[in-house]
Amino acid sequence: MQRVKKIFSNNLINKLRYMSLIAAIAVVALLILNNIDNGNKQRLEAAPGDDEPYSIYIVAGQSNAEGSNSFLAEMPPGQGLGTHPVDDDADPNDNAHIWWKGADGVGIEDDPNGFVKLLESGGSYVAAGWEESNNTADPSKEGLINFKDLDQPPPIGQLKGQFGSEIGIARELYNQGKRKIIFLKVTYGFQALANTTTPPNIGTPFVPYDWHPDSPGQKSYYHLQQEYADLTDYLNRNNMKYTVDGFFWLQGETDSLDTDWTNQYEANFDYLVNRVKEDMHLHPSAHFVARKFNLRVCTDNGYPAVGNYCGAAYALDIDGATPLNILNSLTINALISIPLNNERIRTVRASMQRVSDKYDWVDMLETDDDQPFYNDFIHLNATAQLKTGERMAKMYKQPYYPRNTAVCPSSRSPHLNIDDYDCDGVLNTAEDNGRGSGCQYTVGGSPEATNNNGNLGDDDADCDGFPDYIDNKNGKGSGLTDVQN
Ligand SMILES: [Ca+2]
Ligand SMILES: [Ca+2]
Ligand SMILES: [Ca+2]
Ligand SMILES: [Ca+2]
């Protein structure tokens, strides 16, 4: 569009009628070429705003992050997929997109000899694997899926028509004026944060892909890093600048199954939030928002009235998600079991809160209220996922400019405001220039370049904490009244 604008501008200057005609023909030709070039492919956002960065939001965790038992088909009346402008068919150009990876839905029970294999392997047999998004409708977009297509079967839509908090988050951000939203979602049910390979922790086939960043092999955090690399490589190849504006974490239930895991949660969670902030180059204004999981509805209602023992989480005096304990949780007479798990649940919840209290960029969403669960009393249903997403998105000020805000001099148009947030005459997309020598970006203590990496949130020439694209003052401070750090 820049080239079209420039030619049109030259055309006005030129007083010669025939030149005007030629220029007009050129404009039409360019527009036609542009249409041919784009075909019928959807853009993520229509111009103006081509130089506005995309916002990546990351959703990660275990089953409630995945959205197990939260189904598109069970969304409340009037709130179904396609009823909101961020996920509708009417104007898909401003829809949110998602790049996801998660459980392939295969379990030990799907293999006729699964349990035999498990026992023979001494606990090392793992049937479960991963599936990732793949845009078969528009292969040029690789794994990037328009929200309007979430109701398609995998690898476009997610497992069994499920969805997590991403739809509620996206709708709230859109309502706040946000466009060009991309989710990166990597989730796997029943995975602990604890490193299950390190003594005294217990390795178990039921937790094959734990979330600890240092777990060896290709576990959940490894997959998250791989998908982050794949997504940002895709964006870079397509000249799409971005910032990483939030991380949403729904996890913790499985760590309450083992006393060692429970006792390590505070240290593990503290480590996770800082690793994420570094590894995924979070925007200085981005927050890590965690849902403080809640099994109160489960413990209050599950046992013994309706014979639902909330799985292993409540009813059994187990310690450790070992094959024997899991087997017992399915078969043992619940009347002789002793529910000691509440203390571990409280410990994990308190650990999450302490880490949140320690960092002003870590927020905790309390859930100890009337949230509707699915019939298993563990998993958020569709209504609850929408509500949870909305709440999580509201927990901090987003690092972007609402449209048509007047921070630029009056001589500049609102469109320039979108493409040049800090009104310094340099387009947002041209402010990917790295950091000052006094504030090198480090990952794990090692310096890492931030220039021309596609991410605009990690560049800071004057080392004042304000990324260059929203910093028009050389020296301390952004010079912009509506930018918070
Ligand atoms: Ca600028
Ligand atoms: Ca950068
Ligand atoms: Ca700065
Ligand atoms: Ca500054």
Side-chain angles (χ1 to χ4, degrees):
M1 288 307 290
Q2 290 301 314
R3 289 181 63 197
V4 175
K5 281 179 200 164
K6 197 170 179 182
I7 288 169
F8 189 63
S9 169
N10 289 341
N11 177 34
L12 287 179
I13 295 168
N14 193 324
K15 305 290 185 190
L16 296 173
R17 184 173 292 175
Y18 80 96
M19 282 299 288
S20 297
L21 185 62
I22 290 170
I25 289 169
V27 167
V28 170
L30 267 174
L31 286 171
I32 290 170
L33 279 173
N34 194 37
N35 274 340
I36 289 170
D37 187 39
N38 284 338
N40 291 319
K41 294 169 190 168
Q42 290 136 21
R43 301 158 57 101
L44 295 197
E45 170 65 335
D50 281 357
D51 290 293
E52 184 180 24
Y54 294 83
S55 288
I56 296 175
Y57 295 90
I58 300 171
V59 173
Q62 58 179 110
S63 55
N64 272 320
E66 177 182 67
S68 304
N69 295 344
S70 162
F71 300 99
L72 292 169
E74 296 181 0
M75 292 170 103
Q79 296 181 49
L81 192 73
T83 59
H84 190 280
V86 84
D87 52 57
D88 68 355
D89 260 313
D91 180 11
N93 287 334
D94 62 0
N95 286 10
H97 284 62
I98 187 167
W99 183 294
W100 60 263
K101 187 166 193 175
D104 64 3
V106 175
I108 289 170
E109 67 277 12
D110 294 310
D111 182 341
N113 298 314
F115 278 101
V116 175
K117 287 181 183 172
L118 173 63
L119 291 172
E120 286 178 349
S121 72
S124 64
Y125 169 69
V126 174
W130 293 80
E131 180 158 25
E132 60 190 345
S133 59
N134 183 10
N135 198 329
T136 55
D138 184 355
S140 70
K141 285 192 173 175
E142 302 181 20
L144 207 56
I145 308 292
N146 191 309
F147 263 38
K148 77 180 180 63
D149 296 324
L150 282 177
D151 55 357
Q152 300 299 306
I156 295 177
Q158 295 164 52
L159 187 66
K160 298 175 185 168
Q162 296 164 347
F163 72 100
S165 298
E166 61 274 5
I167 294 181
I169 296 169
R171 289 178 174 182
E172 170 58 24
L173 293 172
Y174 188 100
N175 292 347
Q176 292 178 18
K178 182 70 193 130
R179 302 292 183 273
K180 303 176 82 165
I181 300 165
I182 297 174
F183 282 89
L184 170 61
K185 176 175 174 177
V186 178
T187 57
Y188 210 105
F190 207 66
Q191 302 312 295
L193 175 56
N195 184 336
T196 59
T197 61
T198 306
N201 297 340
I202 303 158
T204 161
F206 297 100
V207 189
Y209 304 115
D210 72 65
W211 269 103
H212 197 283
D214 291 343
S215 275
Q218 301 186 358
K219 300 202 174 186
S220 292
Y221 195 81
Y222 167 87
H223 284 284
L224 174 60
Q225 285 187 297
Q226 289 298 306
E227 296 310 307
Y228 173 81
D230 288 350
L231 170 60
T232 54
D233 282 351
Y234 165 81
L235 296 176
N236 275 315
R237 281 199 305 280
N238 288 277
N239 235 351
M240 298 155 77
K241 299 289 186 181
Y242 62 89
T243 56
V244 186
D245 293 346
F247 193 104
F248 301 95
W249 178 248
L250 298 92
Q251 197 276 336
E253 293 93 332
T254 296
D255 290 87
S256 72
L257 296 181
D258 183 291
T259 301
D260 289 321
W261 299 353
T262 300
N263 292 339
Q264 294 160 12
Y265 201 87
E266 183 173 351
N268 287 338
F269 190 56
D270 196 323
Y271 185 58
L272 175 77
V273 299
N274 283 287
R275 278 294 302 269
V276 160
K277 190 177 173 68
E278 271 187 15
D279 291 341
M280 277 119 215
H281 292 230
L282 257 57
H283 192 288
S285 297
H287 279 216
F288 186 113
V289 182
R291 170 182 179 266
K292 195 200 275 184
F293 78 92
N294 176 17
L295 294 173
R296 174 176 287 197
V297 174
C298 182
T299 52
D300 283 354
N301 299 295
Y303 171 84
V306 294
N308 181 329
Y309 312 124
C310 305
Y314 168 64
L316 293 169
D317 176 19
I318 67 169
D319 193 0
T322 63
L324 181 60
N325 279 339
I326 296 292
L327 192 63
N328 281 343
S329 76
L330 301 173
T331 58
I332 202 168
N333 184 345
L335 293 176
I336 62 170
S337 67
I338 306 169
L340 293 180
N341 231 9
N342 282 339
E343 188 176 337
R344 294 199 291 261
I345 291 169
R346 280 194 292 271
T347 300
V348 175
R349 281 167 49 86
S351 299
M352 297 177 98
Q353 187 62 53
R354 275 194 293 276
V355 174
S356 173
D357 293 345
K358 184 175 174 183
Y359 303 108
D360 60 6
W361 50 274
V362 178
D363 301 323
M364 205 55 52
L365 179 73
E366 182 53 81
T367 55
D368 197 8
D369 62 359
D370 182 28
Q371 285 204 341
F373 285 86
Y374 196 72
N375 296 337
D376 58 8
F377 299 127
I378 294 175
H379 296 111
L380 300 171
N381 68 12
T383 301
Q385 286 283 5
L386 289 173
K387 192 159 94 175
T388 298
E390 179 188 343
R391 287 176 166 187
M392 291 179 112
K394 281 180 172 171
M395 291 198 74
Y396 64 101
K397 184 181 186 295
Q398 297 294 322
Y400 65 85
Y401 278 56
R403 308 219 142 205
N404 302 319
T405 50
V407 294
C408 287
S410 57
S411 60
R412 297 195 181 202
S413 75
H415 294 164
L416 278 174
N417 183 16
I418 289 172
D419 290 331
D420 176 14
Y421 280 161
D422 60 0
C423 315
D424 63 354
V426 182
L427 293 172
N428 297 321
T429 50
E431 303 215 40
D432 189 5
N433 293 321
R435 299 169 79 90
S437 57
C439 55
Q440 262 197 315
Y441 199 93
T442 57
V443 175
S446 302
E448 191 167 300
T450 61
N451 58 312
N452 298 317
N453 63 353
N455 190 326
L456 300 180
D458 56 10
D459 306 292
D460 188 1
D462 60 1
C463 297
D464 66 351
F466 294 104
D468 291 345
Y469 80 110
I470 47 173
D471 185 358
N472 72 7
K473 182 180 172 187
N474 189 15
K476 195 176 179 186
S478 69
L480 305 170
T481 55
D482 61 346
V483 173
Q484 294 175 355
N485 193 15

